[in-house]
Amino acid sequence: MNVSDHHSYLTFSLNGSRYGVTTNAVQEIFFLPTLTAIDEAPRDIVGLLNLRGEILPVMDLNLRFFQRSQDYQITDSIIVIEWQTIKVGLIVNQVHEVQEIPLEAIAPQIAYGRQNDTPYHHYITGVAKNLGELVMLLDPEQLIAYTDSAENLLAALNDSGIPATQTPVQKDRRFCPHATPSEMAIFQERADNLMKLSEGEDFTGLMPIAVIGLNDEYFGLDLNVVREFTDIREITPIPCCPSRIIGNMNLRGEIVTLIDIRETLNLPMIRAIDGSKVMVVHIDELVAGIAIQEVCDVMYLHPSKIAPVPAAIHSANDEYLRGTAPYREKMMSLLDLPKILTQGELEVNEEP
């Protein structure tokens, strides 16, 4: 099949749905920083960002789609798209891979069975059906430039369940008003870094890293294996298990085993659960919850910044470390989490 019979799309997730945007429109990707709100901006433009001296408007896709805005998380990202020299950042939950999608796998029009087939929105150019799940393909031009007529706006509001006398604007224009002080510090640090990043910096090969805190030390791990961060809820103990198996937790109907990896890393065990977090990971067929002290950051790390484990701290747990890298005023250890979970004697043996 000819290359022209394929289109290349960057795929991403938002509220559990999968979307794609043509790679020709994508300029860059970075984790969500602090945004400056502008009162007179369109309702879906939730803030501005100083990106290396260029003012970038940032769009909340939920508001663009006439849905309610969600609380932002430190794991959210911004995809910068461009159309006719106009750049806009899109807030998304998670960025996935680039997909080459054949044209015959794209359904360009969807019949809804209505007398009037004109859709209330103009942002979706088609639906890809060959990727294991449906992917809605977005039109960058329409996302940036399209303005709803009063008729279409009223119809969309009615379909969304929002009273026609209200518009889905944010009542609180402050950026992320429910974030904790530590999360706000992370957002602000990212904004400061984006403001001063060099245009010529090489982003090739960057690794997405989640930075967590354990016993007041920093540890980094591959963000691709992290499914979500959440608070520790009610724990059900599992009989006849080692101390590193804390118990089971009901996560929206899914039973997740909660594990403490500190013993494997030769760190003192601390049994205080209140106020702790859970990092839910998905590695191959294994889903588990890792008890952590805090979520410190998500970041991109260049492989050149990774150093070998210093000889002075060599111990029996070296095999679970991929190296070290500078983070803030300390050094963080990079964990090989798949090896910890599969070879670190953390499996639960349910046989008597």
Side-chain angles (χ1 to χ4, degrees):
M1 186 175 290
N2 194 293
V3 176
S4 62
D5 295 332
H6 289 69
H7 284 175
S8 179
Y9 291 88
L10 174 68
T11 59
F12 63 90
S13 294
L14 181 70
N15 294 338
S17 296
R18 188 70 66 100
Y19 295 87
V21 61
T22 175
T23 54
N24 292 334
V26 176
Q27 299 300 302
E28 59 182 297
I29 306 164
F30 45 82
F31 287 111
L32 178 66
T34 297
L35 305 176
T36 300
I38 302 297
D39 288 334
E40 296 185 352
R43 60 181 175 77
D44 55 306
I45 301 299
V46 291
L48 302 177
L49 170 66
N50 183 343
L51 183 60
R52 300 184 293 270
E54 180 180 1
I55 301 302
L56 178 75
V58 177
M59 176 187 298
D60 187 323
L61 283 177
N62 284 310
L63 294 176
R64 189 61 161 150
F65 296 157
F66 297 101
Q67 300 172 9
R68 297 191 183 278
S69 181
Q70 306 294 320
D71 286 341
Y72 303 134
Q73 308 293 325
I74 62 171
T75 50
D76 290 340
S77 294
I78 288 182
I79 300 174
V80 181
I81 62 172
E82 183 176 19
W83 173 74
Q84 292 188 354
T85 73
I86 300 174
K87 291 183 180 180
V88 172
L90 310 178
I91 301 177
V92 306
N93 294 145
Q94 185 177 0
V95 178
H96 301 293
E97 66 278 6
V98 172
Q99 294 276 0
E100 295 290 335
I101 303 177
L103 295 183
E104 68 267 19
I106 299 175
Q109 294 182 347
I110 305 297
Y112 298 109
R114 306 283 179 87
Q115 290 182 350
N116 182 2
D117 286 336
T118 302
Y120 295 141
H121 58 75
H122 295 261
Y123 311 126
I124 298 175
T125 61
V127 179
K129 52 189 177 181
N130 71 321
L131 303 178
E133 60 182 312
L134 296 180
V135 178
M136 290 168 280
L137 306 178
L138 301 178
D139 185 337
E141 175 183 350
Q142 296 291 76
L143 280 177
I144 292 175
Y146 179 73
T147 301
D148 291 285
S149 67
E151 255 181 52
N152 283 343
L153 176 59
L154 181 60
L157 290 176
N158 287 337
D159 274 2
S160 67
I162 301 173
T165 55
Q166 300 179 16
T167 55
V169 295
Q170 290 180 311
K171 295 180 180 180
D172 192 338
R173 297 290 289 185
R174 294 175 301 160
F175 174 74
C176 218
H178 303 300
T180 65
S182 61
E183 289 171 337
M184 287 303 299
I186 293 171
F187 286 131
Q188 187 57 51
E189 183 179 11
R190 293 173 182 171
D192 295 341
N193 290 335
L194 288 169
M195 183 169 54
K196 62 188 180 184
L197 275 175
S198 169
E199 285 278 7
E201 187 168 344
D202 181 16
F203 291 95
T204 304
L206 289 180
M207 303 164 51
I209 298 292
V211 183
I212 62 172
L214 283 173
N215 292 26
D216 298 320
E217 297 292 335
Y218 295 129
F219 293 88
L221 61 141
D222 184 359
L223 184 64
N224 291 319
V225 304
V226 178
R227 198 176 75 180
E228 64 179 289
F229 296 99
T230 187
D231 295 322
I232 288 185
R233 299 178 175 87
E234 184 176 350
I235 302 298
T236 302
I238 304 175
C240 305
C241 280
S243 59
R244 50 186 171 267
I245 305 299
I246 299 174
N248 286 334
M249 186 177 77
N250 189 327
L251 183 62
R252 299 185 299 275
E254 179 184 14
I255 303 302
V256 175
T257 299
L258 189 60
I259 298 171
D260 192 332
I261 64 173
R262 282 174 288 198
E263 183 177 359
T264 304
L265 299 175
N266 289 336
L267 296 173
M269 297 284 283
I270 300 176
R271 267 307 183 190
I273 295 298
D274 293 342
S276 298
K277 298 283 187 180
V278 177
M279 177 178 62
V280 181
V281 298
H282 192 175
I283 301 171
D284 295 329
E285 300 301 317
L286 174 65
V287 176
I290 308 296
I292 61 177
Q293 185 178 350
E294 62 176 331
V295 185
C296 301
D297 203 351
V298 286
M299 59 182 290
Y300 288 112
L301 179 66
H302 198 282
S304 64
K305 301 291 185 181
I306 301 176
V309 178
I313 65 171
H314 275 310
S315 64
N317 67 345
D318 285 6
E319 58 182 314
Y320 305 125
L321 302 182
R322 300 172 56 189
T324 62
Y327 180 72
R328 297 182 181 177
E329 74 284 358
K330 294 184 177 181
M331 296 293 289
M332 67 174 170
S333 299
L334 301 177
L335 301 178
D336 188 335
L337 195 58
K339 184 177 288 188
I340 290 175
L341 294 181
T342 57
Q343 301 179 23
E345 299 181 350
L346 293 174
E347 294 181 323
V348 180
N349 184 1
E350 298 182 350
E351 296 182 4

